Amino acid sequence: MEDTLSLVLFSGTDDKLHAAGTLAAGAAAMGRPVNVLLQYWALDAFRAAAIDADHGLAFDSIRPGTRQPPAGSRAIPWLETFRMAKELGEMSIVACSGSLEVLGIIPGELDPIVDGTGGIASFLLAADGGQIIFI
Amino acid sequence: MEDTLSLVLFSGTDDKLHAAGTLAAGAAAMGRPVNVLLQYWALDAFRAAAIDADHGLAFDSIRPGTRQPPAGSRAIPWLETFRMAKELGEMSIVACSGSLEVLGIIPGELDPIVDGTGGIASFLLAADGGQIIFI
Amino acid sequence: MEDTLSLVLFSGTDDKLHAAGTLAAGAAAMGRPVNVLLQYWALDAFRAAAIDADHGLAFDSIRPGTRQPPAGSRAIPWLETFRMAKELGEMSIVACSGSLEVLGIIPGELDPIVDGTGGIASFLLAADGGQIIFI
């Protein structure tokens, strides 16, 4: 549908996962269908064994003089925003089959918040005329 | 409106700020409304005390063999492109209230080019059916 | 056209180039026109002298505990996916004239898969009402 929000979630740091979760929750709260495709380091972050770990911050945070989060990156509630998005509306989280293969991850390793696996073609088809955001 | 260009500006390095400013100025010159939402390291870069500093280049530039900007990252005129976008057309720059909180930045610290603060819901609403780009 | 997929390709690591190539090939296979604008480190990666090199992985991969590609980053077939996209459908790859200037690269240094040079205005015009993705 035209009002679908589609996210290619590639990055695996806590700050970018938070930015993605906030967009997903915001769109879900507005009644928009949300499709998330997990690739590479986001896929890695959604492994059950890794999802609660400290995933650090983006490279941009390293420059001297940058304001650091007073509560640290562990305090960034990205997983909670994704859980909230699922409660608020219609959101699917799909693991990219190509990234699973490149990283040697099997679906059974993923956290149960991930709904299944799929490829880029079905993602683009579901995105339809709606917005696609790469994070 | 359908022709609005909405930018979630997350990154804080000079090269990505430049890429964002160029898109903003290009769209503004075409008469399109432009909405910029500053998050995390872009928000940090728009602090009055930081905006003229050297913000460095993206991690991708570090690989040996990469062509480096002969004039250095300080010569990348990203702030000028944002100022030009404001002169050319209708652009608003809004600080994300969630990122302000995570980084412990108060609105009074931001450069006057920032028009105000706001959340993801009003950003998505303003984006309407138009393009959203995450940088 | 409304079904055009436009990619601003900024990043130059093998994993992000792969993500971009997959989106381009997927859209081309669906009969959608694809426009790619090369900026900064993606532009650097498409230099003839650099295109076959190991471009490494995104910063996110560095965190301890991250699953590394068993076959390494050189095994990520990003260039093949771009070549496939060109065979499958209608894709143009354009070097951003602003980034050429900042990095001091001349068009003659680029791999022949690059179709030409251009600016942000013509890119936005060609994107029309279609999706724009920044990678």
Side-chain angles (χ1 to χ4, degrees), chain A residues 59-61 63, chain B residues 10-19 41-42 45 55-59 78, chain C residues 10 41:
Chain A
F59 175 70
D60 311 53
S61 68
R63 193 180 59 83
Chain B
F10 174 98
S11 301
T13 54
D14 288 325
D15 45 3
K16 286 204 177 171
L17 291 167
H18 185 220
W41 316 109
H55 297 87
L57 299 171
F59 175 70
W78 66 269
Chain C
F10 174 99
W41 316 110

Side-chain angles (χ1 to χ4, degrees), chain A residues 10-13 39-41 44 47 54-55 57-59 62 102-105 109 120 124-125 128-130 132 134, chain C residues 15-16 18-19 22-23 26-27 30 57-61 63 65-70 76 131-135:
Chain A
F10 174 99
S11 301
T13 53
Q39 293 188 333
Y40 280 92
W41 315 110
D44 181 77
R47 284 186 294 121
D54 183 344
H55 297 87
L57 298 171
F59 175 70
I62 287 177
V102 171
L103 292 183
I105 295 174
E109 291 182 82
I120 206 75
L124 284 172
L125 221 53
D128 201 9
I132 303 183
F134 184 96
Chain C
D15 45 3
K16 286 204 177 171
H18 185 220
T22 308
L23 280 163
M30 291 160 73
L57 298 171
F59 174 70
D60 311 53
S61 68
R63 193 180 58 84
T66 309
R67 190 69 60 89
Q68 297 298 308
I76 299 173
Q131 292 143 341
I132 302 182
I133 302 176
F134 184 96
I135 296 182

Side-chain angles (χ1 to χ4, degrees), chain C residues 32-130:
Chain C
R32 300 174 56 180
V34 179
N35 294 324
V36 179
L37 183 69
L38 300 176
Q39 293 188 333
Y40 279 94
W41 316 110
L43 182 64
D44 182 78
F46 275 83
R47 284 187 293 121
I51 201 162
D52 288 320
D54 183 345
H55 297 87
L57 298 171
F59 174 70
D60 311 53
S61 68
I62 286 176
R63 193 180 58 84
T66 309
R67 190 69 60 89
Q68 297 298 308
S73 63
R74 302 241 15 191
I76 299 173
W78 66 268
L79 186 54
E80 284 65 38
T81 60
F82 277 106
R83 289 199 175 118
M84 197 167 63
K86 279 223 169 179
E87 282 171 33
L88 287 170
E90 186 194 331
M91 178 179 69
S92 83
I93 302 183
V94 170
C96 177
S97 43
S99 293
L100 283 169
E101 199 183 308
V102 171
L103 292 183
I105 295 174
I106 58 168
E109 290 183 81
L110 300 171
D111 186 88
I113 199 175
V114 181
D115 297 298
T117 65
I120 206 73
S122 53
F123 175 77
L124 285 172
L125 221 53
D128 201 8

Side-chain angles (χ1 to χ4, degrees), chain A residues 15-16 18-19 22-23 26-27 30 57-61 63 65-70 76 131-135, chain B residues 10-13 39-41 44 47 54-55 57-59 62 102-105 109 120 124-125 128-130 132 134:
Chain A
D15 46 1
K16 286 203 177 171
H18 185 221
T22 307
L23 280 163
M30 291 161 72
L57 298 171
F59 175 70
D60 311 53
S61 68
R63 193 180 59 83
T66 309
R67 190 70 58 91
Q68 298 299 307
I76 299 174
Q131 291 144 341
I132 303 183
I133 302 176
F134 184 96
I135 296 182
Chain B
F10 174 98
S11 301
T13 54
Q39 293 189 332
Y40 280 93
W41 316 109
D44 181 78
R47 284 187 294 119
D54 183 346
H55 297 87
L57 299 171
F59 175 70
I62 286 177
V102 171
L103 292 183
I105 295 174
E109 291 182 83
I120 206 74
L124 284 172
L125 221 54
D128 200 9
I132 302 183
F134 184 97

